[in-house]
Amino acid sequence: MADEKVFAVHSPEEWRSKLQEAIDTKRLVVVDFTATWCGPCRFISPVFVELSKKFPEILFLKVDVDELKDVANEWQVRAMPTFIFIKDGESIDRLVGAKKEELESKVASLATEAAATVATRV
């Protein structure tokens, strides 16, 4: 289940569409590669939702690795949860594991960088 601020991706077409949307709008993307059977994923999920509310300028996506195996393989996801940070269609960082403080810190840091980049273009 995804909050309105976290978009759950259910098909390769949705995945490509959301990535292209982010490229077109110059948005940072944070993807939570998760699995329904993963205990740590269930633990970190509410944190991910809260971050999506705190940083609405970032596109937050959730991908079930069992549902979208090809997408998970393409992005070399080997453990859950894996968070991949994407800018302009390219991975710029990743975090493996349900590390709340590290996830919060990375999102805040990259959001600040993204805002500074946008501000210099205006």
Coordinates of all heavy atoms in Angstrom, one line a residue, residues 1 9 11 20-21 29-30 36 41 44-46 48 53 63 66 78 86 100 103 105 118-119:
M1 N 0.8 -1.2 0.0 CA 0.0 0.0 0.0 C 0.9 1.2 0.0 O 1.9 1.3 0.7 CB -0.9 0.0 1.3 CG -1.8 1.1 1.3 SD -2.9 1.0 2.7 CE -2.3 2.3 3.8
V9 N 4.8 1.6 -8.2 CA 5.0 1.2 -9.6 C 4.7 -0.3 -9.8 O 5.2 -1.1 -9.1 CB 6.4 1.5 -10.1 CG1 6.6 1.2 -11.5 CG2 6.8 3.0 -9.9
S11 N 4.2 -1.8 -13.2 CA 4.5 -2.3 -14.5 C 5.8 -1.6 -15.0 O 6.1 -0.5 -14.6 CB 3.4 -2.1 -15.5 OG 3.3 -0.7 -15.8
Q20 N 10.9 9.0 -16.9 CA 10.9 10.0 -17.9 C 10.3 11.3 -17.4 O 10.8 12.4 -17.7 CB 10.2 9.6 -19.2 CG 10.3 10.5 -20.4 CD 11.8 10.7 -20.7 OE1 12.5 9.7 -21.0 NE2 12.3 11.9 -20.8
E21 N 9.2 11.2 -16.7 CA 8.6 12.4 -16.0 C 9.6 13.1 -15.2 O 9.7 14.4 -15.2 CB 7.4 11.9 -15.2 CG 6.7 13.0 -14.4 CD 5.7 12.4 -13.4 OE1 4.9 11.5 -13.8 OE2 5.6 12.9 -12.3
V29 N 14.7 11.5 -7.9 CA 13.8 10.3 -7.6 C 14.5 9.5 -6.5 O 15.7 9.3 -6.5 CB 13.7 9.5 -8.9 CG1 12.8 8.3 -8.6 CG2 13.1 10.3 -10.1
V30 N 13.7 9.1 -5.6 CA 14.1 8.1 -4.6 C 13.2 6.9 -4.7 O 12.0 7.0 -4.6 CB 14.0 8.7 -3.1 CG1 14.6 7.7 -2.1 CG2 14.8 10.0 -3.0
T36 N 7.1 -7.7 -0.1 CA 6.0 -7.9 0.9 C 6.5 -8.8 2.1 O 6.0 -8.6 3.2 CB 4.8 -8.5 0.3 OG1 5.1 -9.7 -0.3 CG2 4.1 -7.5 -0.7
C41 N 11.7 -4.1 5.5 CA 11.0 -3.2 4.5 C 9.8 -2.6 5.2 O 9.4 -1.4 5.0 CB 10.6 -3.9 3.3 SG 12.0 -4.6 2.3
I44 N 10.8 0.2 7.6 CA 11.2 1.5 7.1 C 10.1 2.2 6.2 O 10.2 3.4 6.0 CB 12.5 1.3 6.3 CG1 13.3 2.6 6.1 CG2 12.3 0.7 4.9 CD1 14.0 3.1 7.4
S45 N 9.1 1.5 5.8 CA 8.1 2.0 4.9 C 7.4 3.3 5.5 O 7.3 4.3 4.7 CB 7.0 1.0 4.6 OG 6.1 1.5 3.7
P46 N 7.0 3.4 6.8 CA 6.5 4.6 7.3 C 7.4 5.8 7.3 O 7.1 6.9 7.1 CB 6.1 4.3 8.7 CG 6.0 2.8 8.8 CD 7.0 2.3 7.8
F48 N 9.8 6.2 4.9 CA 9.8 6.6 3.5 C 8.6 7.5 3.2 O 8.7 8.5 2.5 CB 9.8 5.3 2.7 CG 10.1 5.6 1.2 CD1 11.4 6.0 0.8 CD2 9.2 5.3 0.2 CE1 11.7 6.2 -0.5 CE2 9.5 5.5 -1.1 CZ 10.7 5.9 -1.5
K53 N 6.4 13.2 2.4 CA 5.5 14.4 2.8 C 6.4 15.6 3.1 O 6.0 16.7 2.8 CB 4.7 14.0 4.0 CG 3.6 13.0 3.7 CD 2.9 12.6 5.0 CE 1.9 11.5 4.8 NZ 1.3 11.0 6.1
V63 N 8.9 0.1 -5.5 CA 8.9 -1.0 -6.5 C 9.0 -2.3 -5.7 O 9.9 -2.5 -4.9 CB 10.1 -0.9 -7.5 CG1 10.2 -2.2 -8.3 CG2 9.9 0.3 -8.3
D66 N 9.5 -8.5 -6.4 CA 8.9 -9.8 -6.9 C 7.9 -9.5 -8.0 O 7.7 -10.3 -8.9 CB 8.2 -10.5 -5.7 CG 9.1 -11.0 -4.7 OD1 10.2 -11.5 -5.1 OD2 8.8 -11.0 -3.5
R78 N 20.0 -6.4 -5.0 CA 20.3 -7.7 -4.5 C 19.8 -8.0 -3.1 O 19.8 -9.1 -2.7 CB 21.9 -7.9 -4.5 CG 22.5 -7.7 -5.9 CD 22.2 -8.8 -6.8 NE 22.8 -8.6 -8.2 CZ 22.1 -8.3 -9.2 NH1 20.8 -8.1 -9.2 NH2 22.7 -8.1 -10.4
I86 N 18.0 8.7 -7.9 CA 18.2 8.9 -9.4 C 18.0 10.3 -9.8 O 17.1 11.0 -9.4 CB 17.2 8.0 -10.1 CG1 17.3 6.5 -9.7 CG2 17.3 8.2 -11.6 CD1 16.2 5.6 -10.2
K100 N 17.3 4.0 9.1 CA 16.4 5.2 9.2 C 17.2 6.5 9.1 O 16.9 7.4 8.3 CB 15.6 5.1 10.5 CG 14.7 6.3 10.7 CD 13.9 6.1 12.0 CE 12.9 7.2 12.3 NZ 13.5 8.4 12.7
L103 N 19.0 7.1 5.8 CA 18.0 7.4 4.7 C 17.6 8.9 4.9 O 17.5 9.6 3.9 CB 16.8 6.4 4.8 CG 15.7 6.7 3.8 CD1 16.2 6.6 2.4 CD2 14.5 5.8 4.0
S105 N 19.1 11.3 6.3 CA 20.2 12.2 6.0 C 20.5 12.3 4.5 O 20.7 13.4 4.0 CB 21.4 11.7 6.7 OG 22.6 12.4 6.4
V118 N 18.5 23.9 -8.9 CA 17.4 24.6 -9.5 C 17.5 26.1 -9.3 O 17.3 26.9 -10.2 CB 16.0 24.1 -8.9 CG1 14.9 25.0 -9.3 CG2 15.8 22.6 -9.3
A119 N 17.9 26.5 -8.1 CA 18.1 28.0 -7.8 C 19.1 28.6 -8.7 O 18.9 29.8 -9.1 CB 18.4 28.2 -6.3

